[in-house]
Amino acid sequence: MLRCLALAAALTLSACVTAQPTAGDPAAFRALVPDGAEAEVLADGFWWSEGPVWRPDEGDLLFSDVPRNTVYRWAEGDGLSVYLRPASRAFGSETPGETGSNGLILDAEGRLLLAGHGSRAVTRLDPGSFVQDVLADRFDGRRFNSPNDLVLAASGALYVTDPPYGLAGHDDSPEKEQPHNGVYRIDPDGTVTLLIDDLTRPNGVVLSPDGRTLVVANSDPERAVWMTYPVRADGSVGDGTLLFDATAWVREGRPGLPDGMAVDTDGRVYIATLSGVQIFDKTGVYVGTIWCPQYPVSCTFGGRNNDMLFIVGESSAWSIQTRVKGFRLPKGLN
């Protein structure tokens, strides 16, 4: 059985703007994850698992298998089943790249929102008909590349990353319409605003509990970093600050690239890195790592008390008990 081990060992990393070796804080880490905690394997055998979201009303976990164009459902007692297939329909493409959905979240009413690689759109699933309504698929009259991840703000705005992974050939695809790989804000009225255009591969994205900080992963092997951006009152963002740099790890040949994240109620960020799920406090200080036998791709909090961390890796899904709760916007807040 595959297992993840919770450790607070010293690591060589770049935290904030320093590139000096930094040791984790064992006491702080044990306050988050029980000593010797091991993760349970929920399911495996996936091609590429991504974008997990816990649905508290249904008591289940949904996550994407991007190449298989499928959203899977896992629930205790029920096990694994197919929830949605196809998850994202290729739109007008002769040579689609990654055709499935990627990031999944819930809106304020608990409906599923999908970042669609194949559809090149952000969609909302009608829970009755299973029809996907397009919330946005263009900026400045041009189609998105392939929305990857998304996060909901208390205002009802969505922050969305848009790398080219869903296009065959990526930046060289003749179907790529955007001149950049951007991070966007989609307002409740459907207005789309470009916020960040200088990240070559924007990927995972989360907001701090107070909504004042946006964290974005850049999955470029030449600049494998996580950046933080201050969020202004109008929903725009300021200049970015480096949170963590894994570029040296990529050059060492470690598998994986910067990807998905989760946030707890105290603003700590849990980031899927090349060596496990690393935890940083809200000031950007490294706390510790949940090591995994496969490199993790993304994570989310859930479970009956919202104190279970669910992790999806390249071909597996795990859960591990924590001593803290994940942050979740109150239902109906916006």
Side-chain angles (χ1 to χ4, degrees):
M1 177 179 288
L2 296 173
R3 293 189 180 275
C4 299
L5 300 178
L7 303 173
L11 293 176
T12 301
L13 53 80
S14 299
C16 298
V17 295
T18 177
Q20 300 300 314
T22 305
D25 184 337
F29 186 76
R30 296 305 175 210
L32 307 179
V33 183
D35 190 24
E38 293 186 343
E40 176 187 357
V41 178
L42 306 179
D44 57 19
F46 307 108
W47 193 341
W48 185 260
S49 52
E50 263 284 10
V53 63
W54 178 263
R55 299 195 299 173
D57 291 347
E58 293 81 1
D60 60 15
L61 181 76
L62 301 180
F63 57 94
S64 302
D65 187 329
V66 184
R68 286 180 173 152
N69 203 358
T70 300
V71 172
Y72 286 100
R73 172 184 180 269
W74 178 89
E76 189 173 1
D78 294 341
L80 186 73
S81 60
V82 171
Y83 180 75
L84 181 65
R85 181 190 290 157
S88 180
R89 296 184 183 276
F91 184 73
S93 176
E94 295 296 329
T95 56
E98 298 174 352
T99 57
S101 63
N102 199 301
L104 308 174
I105 63 170
L106 304 180
D107 71 6
E109 298 179 28
R111 295 170 297 188
L112 184 67
L113 305 182
L114 304 92
H117 269 18
S119 64
R120 301 173 69 175
V122 175
T123 62
R124 180 179 59 220
L125 185 71
D126 183 282
S129 66
F130 271 60
V131 171
Q132 294 187 46
D133 298 318
V134 175
L135 301 183
D137 62 358
R138 283 169 168 78
F139 169 71
D140 199 24
R142 302 182 182 96
R143 281 189 209 158
F144 289 147
N145 301 319
S146 50
N148 185 283
D149 201 8
L150 62 171
V151 63
L152 180 68
S155 66
L158 288 167
Y159 291 82
V160 180
T161 59
D162 187 42
Y165 293 133
L167 302 175
H170 298 173
D171 285 334
D172 295 327
S173 170
E175 296 177 352
K176 188 177 192 294
E177 299 181 17
Q178 294 295 340
H180 46 255
N181 300 313
V183 180
Y184 299 92
R185 187 185 72 246
I186 304 172
D187 292 325
D189 65 1
T191 301
V192 180
T193 303
L194 175 64
L195 301 177
I196 302 166
D197 63 2
D198 62 351
L199 293 177
T200 50
R201 292 292 186 272
N203 198 309
V205 62
V206 292
L207 280 165
S208 60
D210 61 11
R212 296 179 180 177
T213 303
L214 186 75
V215 188
V216 183
N218 189 56
S219 54
D220 185 339
E222 298 300 318
R223 189 180 178 227
V225 298
W226 285 260
M227 302 292 294
T228 65
Y229 299 85
V231 180
R232 304 185 182 107
D234 65 357
S236 62
V237 301
D239 293 338
T241 300
L242 181 67
L243 171 66
F244 176 66
D245 189 339
T247 308
W249 286 359
V250 176
R251 291 171 180 165
E252 290 173 4
R254 300 192 191 191
L257 287 168
D259 213 306
M261 296 166 280
V263 178
D264 70 20
T265 54
D266 290 323
R268 286 175 286 259
V269 183
Y270 299 67
I271 64 176
T273 72
L274 286 69
S275 288
V277 177
Q278 289 191 294
I279 305 171
F280 293 82
D281 71 16
K282 61 184 178 181
T283 67
V285 174
Y286 168 68
V287 179
T289 296
I290 300 171
W291 295 93
C292 294
Q294 296 178 350
Y295 62 88
V297 172
S298 192
C299 55
T300 192
F301 278 96
R304 186 173 303 169
N305 299 309
N306 206 30
D307 59 357
M308 189 76 71
L309 186 67
F310 293 94
I311 305 166
V312 294
E314 50 187 319
S315 64
S316 302
W318 306 280
S319 65
I320 189 167
Q321 182 68 51
T322 68
R323 289 176 168 153
V324 293
K325 294 185 177 183
F327 173 73
R328 183 163 59 210
L329 284 174
K331 191 173 180 179
L333 177 64
N334 58 316

